[in-house]
Amino acid sequence: MTDNSVYVIQCPEYEQVPKRLPELIELMGGIGRFVSPGERLAIKPNLLLEARPEEAVTTHPKVVSTLGHLVTRAGAQGIIVDSPGSGVRYTRKVLENIYKRSGLAEAAQESGVELNMDTSFETVSYSEGKFIKRFEIITPILESDGVLNLSKLKTHCFTYFTGAIKNNFGVIPGRAKPGYHQKLNDRSHFVRMLLDLARLVSPRLSIMDAVVAMEGDGPTAGSPRKIGLLLGARNPLALDVVASEIIGLDREKNPFLQEAEKMGLFPNDIHQVEVIGAEIPKIRIENFRFPVTMFSGTGFGDHLNWWQRLIEPIFKDALTLKPRVRKETCKACGSCLKSCPAGAITIQNIGNKPCAQIDDTICIRCYCCHEMCQEKAIRLQKSLLYRFSNR
């Protein structure tokens, strides 16, 4: 098995995961290729925020519990480890709530793995980083013998796509994440950081939950979309290459593949990957919906027409999608305020009701507020000039 091999298996329903995921692992050479007796391994799902499994925001508990069973039977100790999304407090209470709502508390009990409650982190140097040389990493990841990466196939309003590479962002503590968005508010820079981080974490195994994906304005406000697949690879970048092909994300619009090529990382093209277990044309999903940001000038200059590039410095504010608060839906919970790296959000009284307010002059269009709002109270608004320029 080469590092650029990606394995795909059909799994129409989550009830079939206990049967189909072990078959995928066997296709990859067996759990013994990734787990040794006596090891302590971090099982890293996507646990962005408190969400029920059917919302397709988090890695499904059936995927986590099934891998947990395999790890336990191989004589190792698994521990579920993740830090929630941007601005969410990384505390024991927050973790307990996410574990319970996502179904992972029950999954851990069923499979004999632990739930991490250690909220400490350390700053580590990474001399091999091509773009970033220092990261804040949660301690359980650093203390584990290896990482098993369990991502969820979803769209993302800032990076367009979130899969195996971006899932590693969860090893950075939640309240530290806005700092990365603030410093790296250019999409290409942010993705380069994620590619360096994935190389630092270096997961032994990456599995993608694509039984039900998320399309539209992900990673939280999109819609569930049935795909019916489980994917596996050693190389998370190879896994994302194949997942992108399945949903029809053009390479030219995929920042992960574009930046990987610039950084000299492979694979960054479907022709550099060996797909085992399926043929891409037969499993490609038609009319998969991508976030509206992918078709705009929100990328600080990427994918604009030549005349748009000329006027963008003058009309940049009008050429981007603006986050707007739905006052009737907002509960003034403050999650958007905590997630905003630019400090552009305040809670104010509108009439007799407290409501979030966004200052356009400060907003950097990272869409963390849109991502972290559990009430879906933040929409992305198009200006008249934006609509004309993207016709």
Side-chain angles (χ1 to χ4, degrees):
M1 180 173 65
T2 66
D3 284 343
N4 292 346
S5 296
V6 177
Y7 298 77
V8 183
I9 198 164
Q10 300 280 346
C11 186
E13 306 290 342
Y14 282 111
E15 288 70 21
Q16 297 182 27
V17 168
K19 177 178 183 294
R20 301 301 281 161
L21 182 55
E23 291 175 356
L24 176 66
I25 300 295
E26 282 301 312
L27 193 63
M28 299 178 70
I31 193 65
R33 285 187 173 266
F34 309 101
V35 177
S36 296
E39 289 186 312
R40 184 173 177 81
L41 299 173
I43 298 174
K44 166 66 182 73
N46 183 330
L47 295 180
L48 181 61
L49 45 72
E50 288 185 50
R52 299 184 302 275
E54 60 269 23
E55 295 178 82
V57 172
T58 57
T59 307
H60 198 277
K62 283 287 186 183
V63 177
V64 180
S65 64
T66 302
L67 185 67
H69 275 296
L70 294 174
V71 169
T72 301
R73 286 203 293 265
Q77 177 61 58
I79 178 169
I80 296 171
V81 178
D82 196 21
S83 171
S86 295
V88 177
R89 295 179 64 197
Y90 185 43
T91 66
R92 183 186 181 97
K93 182 62 176 176
V94 168
L95 289 176
E96 287 176 346
N97 291 340
I98 292 177
Y99 290 146
K100 182 177 180 180
R101 191 169 179 84
S102 67
L104 290 199
E106 184 176 348
Q109 187 173 17
E110 289 176 354
S111 58
V113 301
E114 298 177 19
L115 291 170
N116 172 59
M117 297 297 177
D118 180 357
T119 59
S120 63
F121 64 92
E122 300 176 27
T123 300
V124 300
S125 297
Y126 183 50
S127 60
E128 297 178 22
K130 294 177 179 288
F131 188 69
I132 299 293
K133 304 289 186 180
R134 189 178 297 269
F135 289 97
E136 295 90 350
I137 305 294
I138 55 179
T139 304
I141 292 291
L142 298 175
E143 293 182 345
S144 70
D145 293 310
V147 176
L148 307 177
N149 180 20
L150 299 185
S151 62
K152 182 79 171 179
L153 175 54
K154 299 191 292 182
T155 50
H156 196 284
C157 279
F158 187 49
T159 59
Y160 304 154
F161 166 82
T162 173
I165 290 291
K166 193 172 185 302
N167 196 46
N168 291 284
F169 197 43
V171 307
I172 293 174
R175 294 301 290 271
K177 291 184 176 77
Y180 286 83
H181 280 284
Q182 173 68 24
K183 295 175 184 177
L184 306 170
N185 59 15
D186 178 285
R187 181 178 295 111
S188 63
H189 291 170
F190 190 78
V191 169
R192 287 188 176 204
M193 175 275 295
L194 292 173
L195 288 165
D196 269 341
L197 180 60
R199 293 170 64 233
L200 170 62
V201 175
S202 189
R204 293 183 184 181
L205 169 67
S206 289
I207 298 293
M208 181 173 288
D209 170 8
V211 180
V212 177
M214 177 177 283
E215 64 178 356
D217 294 335
T220 59
S223 304
R225 175 72 182 268
K226 187 173 181 178
I227 305 295
L229 298 173
L230 291 169
L231 292 77
R234 283 183 174 176
N235 186 337
L237 183 55
L239 188 54
D240 283 355
V241 169
V242 173
S244 299
E245 282 289 320
I246 291 171
I247 61 175
L249 176 56
D250 292 340
R251 187 178 184 279
E252 291 71 22
K253 292 184 178 180
N254 188 329
F256 291 95
L257 306 192
Q258 293 294 311
E259 297 308 318
E261 181 179 20
K262 294 174 185 175
M263 295 170 69
L265 301 178
F266 296 92
N268 56 62
D269 187 278
I270 190 62
H271 301 295
Q272 299 164 354
V273 177
E274 180 184 13
V275 180
I276 300 171
E279 298 177 23
I280 293 294
K282 293 182 179 180
I283 59 174
R284 187 171 281 121
I285 302 301
E286 299 296 330
N287 303 314
F288 192 86
R289 293 190 300 111
F290 295 100
V292 293
T293 51
M294 198 174 87
F295 309 102
S296 73
T298 58
F300 306 96
D302 54 343
H303 315 311
L304 297 186
N305 298 323
W306 67 268
W307 68 270
Q308 291 174 315
R309 292 180 185 277
L310 290 177
I311 66 171
E312 191 192 20
I314 302 172
F315 296 107
K316 180 169 182 158
D317 188 61
L319 284 170
T320 58
L321 290 161
K322 299 178 181 179
R324 288 287 182 265
V325 179
R326 293 186 174 99
K327 298 179 178 61
E328 67 278 7
T329 308
C330 177
K331 293 186 176 180
C333 65
S335 62
C336 58
L337 185 151
K338 295 171 185 175
S339 69
C340 180
I345 301 178
T346 56
I347 304 295
Q348 300 179 13
N349 282 321
I350 307 298
N352 294 322
K353 179 186 176 183
C355 184
Q357 293 289 293
I358 302 172
D359 187 337
D360 282 341
T361 64
I362 301 175
C363 176
I364 62 174
R365 310 296 193 266
C366 66
Y367 308 115
C368 287
C369 56
H370 178 269
E371 174 180 336
M372 297 308 298
C373 179
Q374 292 182 258
E375 306 302 326
K376 298 186 178 180
I378 296 178
R379 60 187 175 88
L380 301 179
Q381 177 178 287
K382 304 174 183 178
S383 69
L384 288 175
L385 182 57
Y386 167 90
R387 293 172 186 173
F388 175 75
S389 67
N390 287 281
R391 289 195 305 178

